[in-house]
Amino acid sequence: MKYVKWGLSIFIAFVFVQSLFFKFSGSPETEFIFGTLGKWSGLAWFGQYGAYMVGIVELIASVLLFTRLHALGAFLAIGTMTGAIFFHLFTPIGVAQPAFDAAGKVVGNDGGTLFVMACLVWLSAAFLLYQTKRGDREEVD
């Protein structure tokens, strides 16, 4: 089971860390997602700073997954991905996100890849938390 824990932790961290470039660089994808959410919510500051806040939480979760505080990292991952899944399903951003070319023009959509990755990270983190809780009970018995 140790290898499953490490594998899922690596998967979650990979998804989070590879997305940091987009969140911290102001990419067209990020501007579309967080700009749309800022307009939809009426919180203009979220459109400007939301990506940075989410990126910082994802970075912290990624680091914690490889420490003795791995359960906290998994918990942060679940919280972050719960928000992502909610916003994909119940706001104007939708499930399929626009795909942009190097010039920032829409050239298609991602076919829901971003949404699917959020769901997979959520499931992985939930499994890690379940295993952590199960392991705690087995140690007490």
Side-chain angles (χ1 to χ4, degrees):
M1 198 50 84
K2 177 173 66 170
Y3 296 112
V4 172
K5 174 186 163 188
W6 281 103
L8 293 176
S9 296
I10 290 168
F11 169 70
I12 294 168
F14 174 78
V15 171
F16 282 172
V17 170
Q18 65 85 27
S19 75
L20 292 179
F21 169 78
F22 296 96
K23 289 184 177 77
F24 293 155
S25 70
S27 71
E29 295 86 355
T30 300
E31 287 182 11
F32 169 78
I33 292 169
F34 288 92
T36 301
L37 292 176
K39 288 177 193 166
W40 173 80
S41 67
L43 303 171
W45 61 267
F46 189 76
Q48 288 183 302
Y49 304 111
Y52 298 111
M53 296 183 322
V54 170
I56 289 168
V57 171
E58 290 177 351
L59 181 59
I60 292 169
S62 296
V63 170
L64 290 176
L65 285 169
F66 300 100
T67 70
R68 63 184 179 87
L69 299 174
H70 65 274
L72 179 57
F75 182 75
L76 288 174
I78 285 177
T80 305
M81 292 300 100
T82 297
I85 293 166
F86 172 84
F87 288 126
H88 277 286
L89 292 175
F90 301 109
T91 71
I93 66 170
V95 171
Q97 299 305 300
F100 297 87
D101 65 9
K105 294 184 181 186
V106 176
V107 294
N109 69 57
D110 73 349
T113 302
L114 195 62
F115 175 74
V116 169
M117 294 305 285
C119 293
L120 291 174
V121 167
W122 190 96
L123 289 170
S124 298
F127 184 78
L128 287 175
L129 275 181
Y130 170 76
Q131 285 302 109
T132 299
K133 185 67 175 165
R134 190 169 159 230
D136 289 347
R137 273 186 292 189
E138 289 174 1
E139 288 177 11
V140 172
D141 291 342

